[in-house]
Amino acid sequence: MTYTIEVNGVKRTVDVDGDMPLLWVLRDVLDLKGSKFGCGTGLCGACTVHLDGEAVRSCQTPVSSVGPTAVTTIEGIGATPVGKRVQAAWLEVDVPQCGYCQAGQIMSATALLAKTARPTDQDIDAAMTGNVCRCATYTRIRTAIKKAAGMNTADAGAL
Ligand code: FES
Ligand code: FES
C-alpha cells in the first residue's frame, strides 16, 4: 500500500506494508540513514525522530500511524532554530565518542529545549532517560544541553 508522509518538509510517497516501522522506511526506502537502529524494541533511543515536534521511537512507529504529522529526522533538525543551536553546542562540547547514539540524543535534546527553554536537571533527566549511550557521554550531553539553552555550564560536569 502507498503512504505519503512529510519528512523534513518534503512529501514522500512510499509503497510498503503499513506495519513497517518508520525507521525502516527512513533508512531503507528513503535512504535517510542518520536515524540509527539500536535495539528495535523502544529501549535505546537511537532511532528517535520527531512527529510534530514530539520525540518518538521510530522503530516502534508503524508507517501507517504517521498520517499527516510532520516527521523530522536528524538530517532536517538543523533547519530549525533550536536544532541548529543544539547541533552547534554538540560540536562545541565535542559530545560524541563512537557517535552511534548521538542522532537520537540530539533529537531528544531538541524536543526538550523546544518546549522548555531553560530546563532543570530534572527536566533533562526526564527527557533524556530513554536515550542510552554505551560510551557514557552523559556528562557532555548535559553540558551541551545547558550550553544550547544559554545556561551556565560551569558546574555541568559535576551533575
Ligand atoms: S532502535 Fe528504537 S529505541 Fe532502540
Ligand atoms: S557515543 Fe557511543 S554510544 Fe553514545
Side-chain angles (χ1 to χ4, degrees), residues 110-131:
T110 303
L112 166 65
L113 290 175
K115 285 210 175 84
T116 308
R118 296 178 72 78
T120 63
D121 291 335
Q122 291 72 26
D123 293 333
I124 295 172
D125 288 344
M128 303 302 295
T129 189
N131 286 84

Side-chain angles (χ1 to χ4, degrees), residues 43-46 90 95-106 128-142:
L43 297 173
C44 76
W90 241 249
V95 173
Q97 189 161 320
C98 81
Y100 199 83
C101 72
Q102 296 294 331
Q105 305 282 3
I106 285 172
M128 303 302 295
T129 189
N131 286 84
V132 176
C133 176
R134 295 298 296 268
C135 303
T137 62
Y138 300 113
T139 302
R140 293 200 296 274
I141 287 170
R142 187 183 296 271

Side-chain angles (χ1 to χ4, degrees), residues 38-154:
C39 64
T41 55
L43 297 173
C44 76
C47 65
T48 303
V49 301
H50 292 182
L51 291 187
D52 281 349
E54 296 284 343
V56 301
R57 307 300 186 233
S58 61
C59 73
Q60 298 297 298
T61 306
V63 67
S64 59
S65 73
V66 173
T69 58
V71 180
T72 307
T73 70
I74 189 67
E75 288 87 353
I77 199 65
T80 70
V82 178
K84 189 174 177 180
R85 276 208 324 273
V86 169
Q87 287 186 325
W90 241 249
L91 283 174
E92 198 178 330
V93 177
D94 200 10
V95 173
Q97 189 161 320
C98 81
Y100 199 83
C101 72
Q102 296 294 331
Q105 305 282 3
I106 285 172
M107 297 306 288
S108 290
T110 303
L112 166 65
L113 290 175
K115 285 210 175 84
T116 308
R118 296 178 72 78
T120 63
D121 291 335
Q122 291 72 26
D123 293 333
I124 295 172
D125 288 344
M128 303 302 295
T129 189
N131 286 84
V132 176
C133 176
R134 295 298 296 268
C135 303
T137 62
Y138 300 113
T139 302
R140 293 200 296 274
I141 287 170
R142 187 183 296 271
T143 301
I145 289 173
K146 292 192 169 189
K147 196 171 273 291
M151 298 163 71
N152 178 17
T153 59

